Amino acid sequence: MERISYLKRMAEEPDERPFRMRVYRKSELAQLYFPYAAKKQALNNLNRWIRRCEALHAALAEAGYVKNRWFFLRPEVELIVRYLGEP
């Protein structure tokens, strides 16, 4: 029997659960976008994407986004998905 590494199996068998619009911890949503990155690096990457997408950054500011909050509210998640696509 051939042994398949965990990462190879994960690449071949993507998560079949559909993405749900709900409140997410920032690190949780970041790891959905960057599944192979460490939690902190995933969060840094997502924050970088948000800052670089000026339209998303402006839409989040208009929606009342709080940078230091530990989670994204559902309307903020909807905006992120609208501009960045589903993770």
Side-chain angles (χ1 to χ4, degrees), residues 19-78:
F19 180 76
R20 289 185 23 193
M21 293 292 179
R22 62 176 179 84
V23 172
Y24 282 91
R25 285 187 333 267
K26 288 183 177 182
S27 60
E28 180 184 11
L29 184 62
Q31 288 192 300
L32 290 175
Y33 278 99
F34 303 96
Y36 299 112
K39 186 184 293 189
K40 185 170 181 150
Q41 187 60 46
L43 188 54
N44 288 341
N45 290 341
L46 181 58
N47 285 332
R48 186 177 307 116
W49 278 15
I50 290 171
R51 283 192 315 270
R52 289 183 179 175
C53 182
E54 293 176 10
L56 172 57
H57 196 265
L60 284 172
E62 188 176 311
Y65 172 68
V66 177
K67 177 183 172 185
N68 296 324
R69 191 174 47 220
W70 289 19
F71 51 88
F72 289 112
L73 299 175
R74 183 178 173 159
E76 296 166 349
V77 173
E78 290 172 354

Side-chain angles (χ1 to χ4, degrees), residues 1-9 12-13:
M1 175 183 259
E2 182 181 334
R3 293 181 73 176
I4 299 176
S5 73
Y6 174 75
L7 291 177
K8 184 176 180 184
R9 188 171 19 131
E12 292 173 353
E13 300 172 12

